[in-house]
């Protein structure tokens, strides 16, 4: 075939000017084999950092065979469903049949955006796509993914003859076209069968609506730039055409374009242009400078690491006004919610700088993991997201070597997923294709397990190999599968090749056997070491260990790498490849200096338990010389012990014993872990905690004062010193919030000082790491003067994130009349001002507000329902009833809400309240043991 025609999109010149003040439009994704958007609803996007719209790749062998029969008698186009009496067929499967292989797309899009008519009905677009395909099996039926589109025309040309050119190609009649809604297919019924080995061109015309409700497909963003929201139409109805070069062979879900009137800044990196696009105001204020300065070096670092050059001649990165807190790695045009890309030059006291570094690194990592090499289907999406997430940390530590790598990975990635994962969760990292039955199940894969567990498994793999072998295997994998698709087994094969070419690293099984034990089953193991005997065993981690484990169905074991230290010295790697094994070298003596910690640097994806002697030895070492145990392991001990005690693997007293040394703990991230486990949200908001509160106050304040003095002095005297201390930036809020909750007078006084200083002199901004705490206690310790001041700030603020922060702070008041006035504002002021926050829920979350909100609902539930929706009443009842522990309390709440809810909602609430009651009863038993321990140790 000759060179393909240029592809492009059309836009009125007037619109291009208009969009300077009005809109940015993005085609987020076209799925494989013309995944055009058709007539079916999508589930709401998750709030993860990035994700592509689901795309279907060619099916695996063994799916339904093609039919060579012509289609039925033509009928009008309909959005067909099972109710249309369509027989079972390939449209009932998630994966496209393998009958056609796409070779080239020629895409034209024409957004019909006019400056004088931006009503919802007018925001439409048309387009056409010519898809060159190779037929691999005779078929008279074609399936293409399609969502939110109307198919205006469909033709099939061919067989194509490269020698004679396209002009001589014949046509295959399209007898009927219809939509299979459930699986989002456009089905073309042909008059004749396509022939195996021949080339054809599918020519489709389509139209659709520009979305203003969601951020998927072709969607509209509204924004204000340089104070304008309109511009004069000076060119009438003329249109311009923008054409693009043909891309490399690539997955179609990475196609994207944007129409806007932005400004950009640029730099050249190794001969290739990098441009950051954003609102003109943002560019002029230097908000894109940081992203530009890091992007080129990140590209160069990964090029050198993998010895594979970035293949495109340019990279554009754009900050969209609203992209639902997401980012997307589209090849050549990376798209970001502007909150994840833009950084104000004076924004030095937040973790946002590091966050942007991570997210930009993640999306650039996708240029190799996902774009250059793409998973064969969505069941292995972790090959994209897991490795992109893992390399975030390698990238940022390369450029910021002083950052505590292990502690940050633990805090940002590992801690969160270990908290959610367990043996009975119905989710392995790598899922079987057959387990998918609905399209929304693909969307659900973009979750904590794909990102965080995937990254954790990649890190574990790197830890039991070495950096050289790990990178060498990835180089081989990326080179072999460039511009194509790969399965998980392809990756393991390249790691095995790297292992086989050396003799230093010896494994107990193949890489595939080891890693499949982690990726093909849910949950993770608990390792228990008996330090008296050296016996180590593994068992699946359950949320609440049960005595008769045979009742549970998780029978598999893991092949577990055990890196460990003894008395502070790193030991040789060992493997636990069966349910139990004896390691005599792990036995400890009666010496006070003898102790063992498993899971060096917490690189393994598991929790560690010890027998009573093992925990006792570690506790003794902490009390004698905590610095002998590295920070990451002090963090690990606290997190493992409290999690294991919560789920009945060890006694709560064992976890509490580990906190005795805390007066000597000067690492704020360890304090953060302790307080997150001890001072929970339920404890803070429960007025019935009168038994535990005074004891906990006395116990913690005695130990907390040292770390408090350190950081309160920094806040008062040299707050800018915090800007390079990432762990402090993410930990200070919990530490300061706890100090004030415990009634530390210096904390309360500092809150008053900082709040009043800001009130009187707005240029004296509250340090961001503790801003939530200061705002809350500034309101709690003040009166209506402080509250009215905050309301004024709220009304004059246009940034959603800050408005949410202020709205929650206003709910911290201790005065019932102020809280009642606040809730009344929320449901009566028109137009509504508190659109970012359910004010009633925010008030009900506090210890005082729970009772105020309950009384408010009695007289205002209909207005609350109209303002926030009926479901908000259900949620409010859960918030109000979060401390119930008796059936009579449940009955009271049921009577309270009987007139508010429908019958099905009342049944749902009853079941949920019963669950809350049972959990609270269990927590009461735990709290009673904590109280007894505190009495003994205070």
């Amino acid at each position: 075939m000759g060179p393909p025609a240029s592809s492009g999109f059309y836009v009125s010149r007037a619109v291009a000017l208009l969009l300077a003040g009005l809109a940015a439009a993005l085609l987020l994704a076209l799925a494989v084999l013309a995944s055009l958007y058709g007539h079916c609803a999508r589930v709401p996007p998750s709030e993860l950092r990035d994700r592509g719209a689901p795309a279907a790749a060619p099916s695996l062998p063994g799916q339904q065979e093609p039919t060579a029969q012509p289609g039925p008698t033509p009928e009008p186009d309909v959005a067909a469903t099972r109710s249309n009496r369509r027989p079972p067929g390939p449209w009932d499967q998630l994966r496209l049949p393998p009958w056609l292989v796409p070779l080239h797309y020629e895409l034209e899009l024409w957004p019909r955006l006019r400056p004088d008519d931006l009503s919802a009905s007018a925001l439409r677009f048309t387009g056409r796509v010519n898809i060159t395909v190779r037929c691999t099996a005779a078929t008279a039926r074609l399936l293409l993914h399609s969502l939110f589109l109307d198919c205006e025309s469909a033709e099939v040309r061919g067989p194509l003859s490269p020698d004679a050119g396209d002009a001589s190609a014949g046509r295959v009649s399209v007898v009927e076209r219809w939509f299979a809604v459930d699986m989002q297919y456009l089905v073309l019924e042909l008059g004749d069968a396509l022939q195996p080995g021949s080339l054809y061109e599918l020519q489709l015309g389509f139209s659709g609506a520009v979305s203003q409700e969601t951020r998927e497909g072709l969607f509209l963003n509204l924004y204000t730039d340089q104070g304008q929201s309109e511009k004069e139409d000076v060119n009438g109805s003329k249109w311009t055409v923008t054409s693009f070069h043909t891309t490399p062979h690539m997955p179609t879900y990475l196609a994207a374009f944007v129409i806007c009137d932005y400004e950009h800044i640029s730099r050249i990196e190794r001969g290739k242009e990098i441009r950051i696009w954003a609102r003109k105001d943002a560019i002029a204020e230097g908000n894109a400078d940081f992203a530009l300065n890091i992007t080129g070096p990140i590209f160069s670092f990964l090029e050198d690491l993998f010895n594979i050059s970035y293949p495109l001649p340019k990279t554009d990165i754009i900050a969209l006004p609203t992209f639902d807190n997401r980012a997307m790695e589209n090849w050549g045009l990376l798209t970001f919610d502007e909150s994840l890309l833009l950084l104000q030059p004076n924004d030095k006291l937040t973790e946002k700088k590091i966050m942007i570094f991570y997210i930009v690194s993640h999306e650039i990592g996708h240029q190799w993991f996902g774009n250059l090499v793409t998973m064969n289907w969505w069941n292995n999406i972790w090959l994209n997201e897991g490795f992109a997430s893992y390399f975030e940390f390698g990238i940022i530590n390369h450029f910021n070597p002083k950052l505590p790598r292990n502690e940050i990975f633990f805090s940002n990635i590992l801690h969160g997923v270990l908290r959610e994962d367990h043996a009975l969760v119905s989710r392995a990292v790598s899922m079987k294709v057959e387990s998918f039955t609905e399209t929304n199940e693909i969307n659900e894969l973009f979750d904590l397990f794909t990102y965080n567990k995937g990254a954790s498994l990649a890190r574990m793999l790197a830890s039991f190999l070495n950096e050289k072998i790990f990178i060498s295997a990835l180089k081989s994998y990326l080179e072999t599968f460039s511009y194509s698709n790969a399965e998980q087994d392809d990756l393991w094969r390249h790691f095995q090749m790297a292992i086989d070419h050396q003799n230093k690293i010896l494994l107990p099984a193949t890489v595939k056997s080891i890693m499949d034990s982690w990726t093909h089953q849910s949950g993770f193991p608990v390792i228990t070491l008996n330090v008296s005997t050296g016996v180590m065993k593994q068992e699946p981690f359950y949320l609440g260990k049960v005595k008769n484990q045979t009742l549970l169905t998780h029978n598999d074991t893991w092949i577990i790498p055990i890196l460990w230290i003894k008395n502070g010295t790193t030991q040789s790697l060992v493997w636990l490849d069966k349910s139990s094994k004896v390691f005599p070298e792990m036995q400890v003596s009666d010496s006070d200096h003898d102790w063992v910690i498993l899971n060096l640097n917490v690189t393994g994806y598991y929790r560690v338990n010890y027998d009573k002697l093992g925990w006792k030895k570690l506790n003794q070492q902490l009390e004698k010389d905590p610095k002998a145990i590295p920070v990451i392991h002090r963090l690990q001990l606290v997190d493992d012990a409290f999690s294991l005690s919560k789920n009945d693997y060890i006694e709560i007293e064992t976890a509490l014993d580990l906190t005795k040394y805390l007066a000597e703990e000067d690492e704020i991230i360890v304090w953060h872990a302790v307080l997150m486990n001890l001072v929970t949200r339920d404890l803070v908001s429960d007025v019935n905690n009168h038994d535990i509160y005074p004891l906990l106050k006395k116990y913690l304040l005695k130990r907390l004062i040292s770390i408090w003095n350190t950081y309160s002095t920094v806040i008062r005297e040299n707050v800018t010193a915090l800007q390079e201390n990432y762990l402090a930036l993410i930990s200070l809020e919990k530490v300061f919030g706890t100090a004030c909750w415990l009634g530390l007078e210096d904390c309360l006084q500092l809150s008053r000082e900082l709040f009043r200083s800001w009130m009187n002199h707005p240029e004296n901004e509250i340090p961001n790491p503790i801003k939530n705490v200061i705002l809350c206690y500034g309101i709690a310790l003040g009166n209506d003067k402080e509250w009215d001041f905050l309301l004024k700030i709220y009304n004059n603020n246009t940034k959603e994130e800050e408005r949410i922060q202020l709205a929650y702070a206003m709910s911290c008041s201790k005065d019932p009349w102020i809280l009642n006035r606040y809730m009344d504002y929320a449901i009566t002021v028109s137009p509504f001002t508190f659109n970012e926050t359910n004010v009633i829920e925010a008030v009900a979350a506090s210890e005082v507000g729970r009772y105020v909100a309950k009384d408010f609902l009695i007289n205002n539930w209909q207005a609350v329902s109209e303002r926030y929706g009926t479901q908000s009443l259900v949620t409010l009842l859960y918030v109000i009833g979060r401390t119930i522990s008796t059936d009579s309390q449940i009955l009271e709440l049921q009577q309270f809400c009987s007139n508010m809810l429908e019958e099905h909602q009342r049944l749902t609430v009853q079941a949920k309240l019963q669950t809350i009651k049972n959990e609270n009863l269990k927590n009461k038993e735990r709290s009673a043991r904590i109280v007894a321990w505190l009495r003994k140790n205070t």
Side-chain angles (χ1 to χ4, degrees):
M1 296 177 63
S6 298
S7 301
F9 64 84
Y10 297 76
V11 60
S12 134
R13 292 175 184 171
V15 172
L17 291 174
L18 168 79
L19 294 180
L22 278 185
L26 165 68
L27 178 68
L28 176 60
L30 293 175
V32 172
L33 198 52
S35 173
L36 305 176
Y37 285 82
H39 290 285
C40 195
R42 298 279 304 268
V43 297
S46 71
E47 296 183 1
L48 291 169
R49 288 170 294 182
D50 72 21
R51 55 183 289 188
S59 296
L60 295 175
Q63 292 190 297
Q64 180 165 333
E65 292 300 316
T67 174
Q69 299 297 318
T73 304
E75 60 180 76
D77 292 339
V78 293
T81 64
R82 293 280 180 111
S83 63
N84 295 113
R85 298 181 181 176
R86 296 283 178 183
W91 42 82
D92 298 318
Q93 305 299 317
L94 271 177
R95 298 196 67 173
L96 284 164
W99 314 331
L100 301 179
V101 176
L103 302 176
H104 179 73
Y105 293 80
E106 181 184 317
L107 175 66
E108 174 187 282
L109 288 167
W110 189 346
R112 308 300 178 104
L113 303 176
R114 297 180 180 276
D116 55 347
D117 190 356
L118 285 177
S119 61
S121 60
L123 292 174
R124 295 191 61 79
F125 65 93
T126 59
R128 66 175 182 84
V129 63
N130 298 338
I131 312 168
T132 303
V133 299
R134 177 186 294 113
C135 180
T136 61
T139 179
R141 178 177 285 143
L142 308 183
L143 274 69
L144 303 93
H145 277 120
S146 182
L147 184 64
F148 301 144
L149 281 183
D150 297 312
C151 183
E152 309 289 355
S153 63
E155 295 183 6
V156 178
R157 299 178 65 246
L160 303 180
S161 174
D163 295 333
D166 295 345
S168 63
R171 293 185 182 274
V172 181
S173 63
V174 178
V175 179
E176 181 189 10
R177 57 184 188 267
W178 56 278
F179 287 99
V181 175
D182 289 347
M183 295 300 177
Q184 304 173 359
Y185 284 124
L186 167 64
V187 182
L188 303 182
E189 307 280 6
L190 307 183
D192 297 292
L194 306 187
Q195 298 306 308
S198 297
L199 300 181
Y200 295 86
E201 184 177 75
L202 314 184
Q203 299 180 337
L204 302 169
F206 55 90
S207 64
V210 176
S211 173
Q212 298 185 78
E213 301 297 326
T214 67
R215 302 290 178 257
E216 295 185 312
L218 190 63
F219 65 84
L220 185 72
N221 262 199
L222 301 179
Y223 66 94
T224 299
D225 202 359
Q226 295 186 341
Q228 303 174 349
S229 61
E230 62 178 330
K231 284 204 172 185
E232 184 179 355
D233 177 9
V234 296
N235 292 315
S237 59
K238 294 181 180 180
W239 301 83
T240 60
V241 179
T242 301
S243 298
F244 301 90
H245 295 293
T246 300
T247 70
H249 194 64
M250 63 177 279
T252 49
Y253 75 86
L254 296 173
F257 78 91
V258 174
I259 304 170
C260 63
D261 188 20
Y262 273 8
E263 291 288 354
H264 73 274
I265 52 177
S266 65
R267 65 179 283 172
I268 302 297
E269 183 77 15
R270 295 184 173 177
K272 298 179 179 181
E273 187 174 28
I274 296 170
R275 299 183 295 187
I276 309 287
W277 298 82
R279 292 175 291 104
K280 295 177 181 179
D281 284 342
I283 293 293
E285 293 167 3
N287 296 348
D289 292 356
F290 177 70
L292 181 66
N293 290 336
I294 64 175
T295 297
I298 293 173
F299 268 106
S300 295
F301 170 72
L302 291 177
E303 285 184 331
D304 293 340
L305 185 65
F306 300 126
N307 197 28
I308 299 175
S309 296
Y310 177 67
L312 301 185
K314 64 89 178 179
T315 297
D316 285 310
I317 298 179
I318 189 164
L320 301 177
T322 305
F323 196 33
D324 298 334
N325 291 317
R326 294 158 61 197
M328 182 64 198
E329 68 270 15
N330 315 291
W331 225 356
L333 176 55
L334 285 69
T335 51
F336 288 75
D337 187 300
E338 66 175 28
S339 67
L340 305 181
L341 186 69
L342 303 182
L343 181 73
Q344 295 179 0
N346 62 353
D347 192 356
K348 300 184 185 302
L349 280 181
T350 71
E351 63 272 25
K352 190 170 184 180
K353 182 177 179 180
I354 296 294
M355 179 195 71
I356 291 172
F357 212 132
Y358 278 124
I359 295 174
V360 171
S361 297
H362 182 98
E363 304 310 326
I364 296 176
H366 272 312
Q367 309 307 300
W368 284 264
F369 295 97
N371 298 14
L372 185 66
V373 178
T374 308
M375 73 283 159
N376 198 48
W377 203 60
W378 300 98
N379 61 313
N380 276 319
I381 184 62
W382 86 273
L383 296 177
N384 286 20
E385 300 299 349
F387 278 87
S389 297
Y390 169 74
F391 276 103
E392 291 176 27
F393 293 86
I395 291 167
I396 201 165
N397 279 92
H398 172 78
F399 293 103
N400 303 271
K402 292 183 179 180
L403 282 176
R405 181 174 188 164
N406 293 317
E407 290 80 359
I408 290 179
F409 189 94
F410 181 90
S411 300
N412 288 7
I413 296 291
L414 188 56
H415 166 76
V417 71
L418 285 177
R419 187 178 55 198
E420 299 297 325
D421 203 4
H422 57 91
L424 298 184
V425 73
S426 59
R427 174 79 165 85
V429 167
S430 179
M431 305 284 284
K432 293 182 179 179
V433 174
E434 308 85 67
S435 64
F436 294 87
T437 59
E438 298 180 6
T439 54
N440 63 1
E441 291 175 335
I442 298 174
N443 292 288
E444 292 167 1
L445 291 176
F446 293 84
D447 62 6
L448 199 66
F449 301 106
T450 289
Y451 288 79
N452 292 27
K453 187 171 183 178
S456 300
L457 295 184
R459 180 171 175 255
M460 182 173 69
L461 175 61
S463 73
F464 69 74
L465 301 177
N466 59 46
E467 187 73 7
K468 183 178 180 181
I469 293 176
F470 183 73
I471 296 300
S472 173
L474 289 177
K475 284 181 181 179
S476 174
Y477 165 78
L478 292 170
E479 288 169 358
T480 301
F481 294 98
S482 290
Y483 308 105
S484 64
N485 303 87
E487 300 275 7
Q488 176 176 280
D489 283 356
D490 296 319
L491 180 63
W492 303 153
R493 188 168 63 253
H494 282 265
F495 273 103
Q496 191 63 50
M497 289 163 52
I499 288 292
D500 293 343
H501 281 84
Q502 55 83 55
N503 54 20
K504 291 184 178 180
I505 304 293
L506 300 177
L507 302 179
T510 64
V511 173
K512 173 177 167 55
S513 296
I514 294 170
M515 296 307 296
D516 280 359
S517 75
W518 295 91
T519 61
H520 284 318
Q521 62 179 327
S522 61
F524 62 88
V526 176
I527 310 301
T528 301
L529 174 65
N530 186 314
V531 299
S532 299
T533 63
V535 173
M536 186 190 302
K537 68 175 184 177
Q538 63 165 292
E539 59 185 313
F541 176 81
Y542 293 97
L543 293 181
K545 183 180 181 181
V546 295
K547 292 181 179 179
N548 188 358
Q549 295 284 17
T550 59
L551 296 175
L552 303 172
T553 59
H554 201 295
N555 298 319
D556 293 327
T557 57
W558 291 262
I559 303 177
I560 308 171
I562 309 290
L563 289 161
W564 59 294
I565 55 177
K566 188 171 187 178
N567 307 330
T569 302
T570 301
Q571 307 295 310
S572 299
L573 169 70
V574 298
W575 290 86
L576 181 60
D577 53 1
K578 54 184 70 172
S579 58
S580 66
K581 211 168 182 178
V582 179
F583 297 95
E585 64 271 32
M586 294 186 182
Q587 292 176 280
V588 300
S589 67
D590 292 333
S591 166
D592 291 344
H593 302 282
D594 224 9
W595 51 272
V596 168
I597 291 180
L598 305 185
N599 200 4
L600 179 64
N601 292 327
V602 201
T603 55
Y605 189 73
Y606 51 86
R607 290 198 185 277
V608 181
N609 189 13
Y610 305 91
D611 65 338
K612 289 186 177 180
L613 179 60
W615 285 114
K616 179 182 177 182
K617 291 285 188 178
L618 292 168
N619 186 44
Q620 287 174 343
Q621 183 59 48
L622 286 172
E623 292 195 63
K624 182 172 57 180
D625 180 14
K627 295 296 179 68
I629 298 178
V631 176
I632 183 61
H633 290 296
R634 306 203 299 271
L635 194 58
Q636 172 203 14
L637 290 173
V638 166
D639 200 66
D640 279 354
F642 276 98
S643 177
L644 293 171
S645 70
K646 181 180 180 181
N647 292 287
D648 302 321
Y649 285 83
I650 63 174
E651 307 295 335
I652 180 60
E653 291 82 358
T654 301
L656 292 170
D657 283 343
L658 295 176
T659 68
K660 292 178 180 178
Y661 86 99
L662 282 174
E664 305 301 319
E665 181 57 78
D666 58 3
E667 292 290 342
I668 195 168
I669 190 65
V670 180
W671 267 104
H672 180 265
V674 171
L675 298 179
M676 291 298 290
N677 281 287
L678 264 183
V679 186
T680 62
R681 181 176 178 180
D682 288 342
L683 177 64
V684 171
S685 61
D686 185 4
V687 295
N688 297 315
N689 61 25
H690 48 79
D691 284 341
I692 195 171
Y693 177 81
L695 294 168
L696 195 62
K697 174 178 180 177
K698 186 174 182 181
Y699 180 81
L700 283 179
L701 284 184
K702 179 180 178 181
R703 291 160 175 81
L704 185 69
I705 194 67
S706 178
I707 197 84
W708 166 262
N709 288 338
T710 297
Y711 282 96
S712 62
T713 299
V714 173
I715 292 291
R716 284 184 166 110
E717 298 179 3
N718 186 24
V719 70
T720 57
L722 293 173
Q723 64 187 29
E724 301 301 326
N725 190 341
Y726 177 75
L727 294 180
L729 293 177
I730 64 174
S731 304
L732 273 170
E733 181 176 314
K734 183 61 179 179
V735 173
F736 271 57
T738 301
C740 283
W741 177 72
L742 292 172
L744 182 63
E745 183 53 41
D746 191 45
C747 183
L748 301 177
Q749 182 58 34
L750 182 59
S751 298
R752 294 187 191 95
E753 290 173 8
L754 293 176
F755 192 94
R756 288 172 181 169
S757 175
W758 176 56
M759 275 186 68
N760 297 328
H761 306 281
E763 68 277 9
N764 295 340
E765 295 186 5
I766 300 171
N768 197 75
I770 57 171
K771 189 170 184 177
N772 285 331
V773 176
I774 303 305
L775 290 177
C776 186
Y777 278 92
I779 293 297
L781 298 169
N783 52 38
D784 58 330
K785 178 182 179 181
E786 285 79 8
W787 199 95
D788 291 343
F789 168 77
L790 215 57
L791 177 64
K792 181 179 179 181
I793 297 294
Y794 173 93
N795 288 330
N796 292 332
N797 198 311
T798 59
K799 296 180 180 179
E800 182 178 0
E801 184 178 354
E802 293 181 9
R803 285 169 66 89
I804 292 173
Q805 185 181 49
L806 294 168
Y808 274 99
M810 284 185 278
S811 71
C812 293
S813 175
K814 303 290 187 183
D815 292 330
W817 76 270
I818 291 180
L819 294 176
N820 271 297
R821 185 182 67 171
Y822 186 23
M823 292 186 286
D824 193 58
Y825 281 171
I827 64 172
T828 60
V829 175
S830 183
F832 296 123
T833 53
F834 302 100
N835 290 323
E836 307 86 0
T837 310
N838 186 321
V839 166
I840 319 300
E841 282 184 29
V843 170
S846 72
E847 52 186 314
V848 174
R850 178 163 81 253
Y851 301 98
V852 178
K854 183 180 177 182
D855 290 342
F856 184 83
L857 269 183
I858 292 174
N859 299 317
N860 299 280
W861 67 268
Q862 288 178 313
V864 172
S865 178
E866 291 173 6
R867 173 70 173 94
Y868 295 112
T870 307
Q871 184 59 34
S872 70
L873 297 177
V874 175
T875 305
L876 273 168
L877 288 170
Y878 299 158
V879 176
I880 292 171
R882 65 186 176 273
T883 62
I884 60 173
S885 57
T886 66
D887 289 333
S888 61
Q889 289 173 320
I890 293 179
L891 182 62
E892 180 194 350
L893 273 178
Q894 286 178 310
Q895 293 172 342
F896 171 72
C897 69
S898 60
N899 296 328
M900 304 179 189
L901 304 178
E902 302 290 339
E903 176 63 23
H904 72 279
Q905 291 176 317
R906 288 197 291 270
L907 293 174
T908 301
V909 167
Q910 180 181 0
K912 177 67 174 179
L913 290 177
Q914 190 67 42
T915 300
I916 293 174
K917 184 200 82 170
N918 293 336
E919 290 176 352
N920 287 340
L921 287 174
K922 180 181 177 181
N923 290 336
K924 276 196 170 186
E925 296 175 8
R926 179 181 170 92
S927 294
R929 295 180 67 171
I930 294 175
V931 167
W933 186 91
L934 286 171
R935 285 187 176 131
K936 181 179 178 181
N937 290 277
T938 300

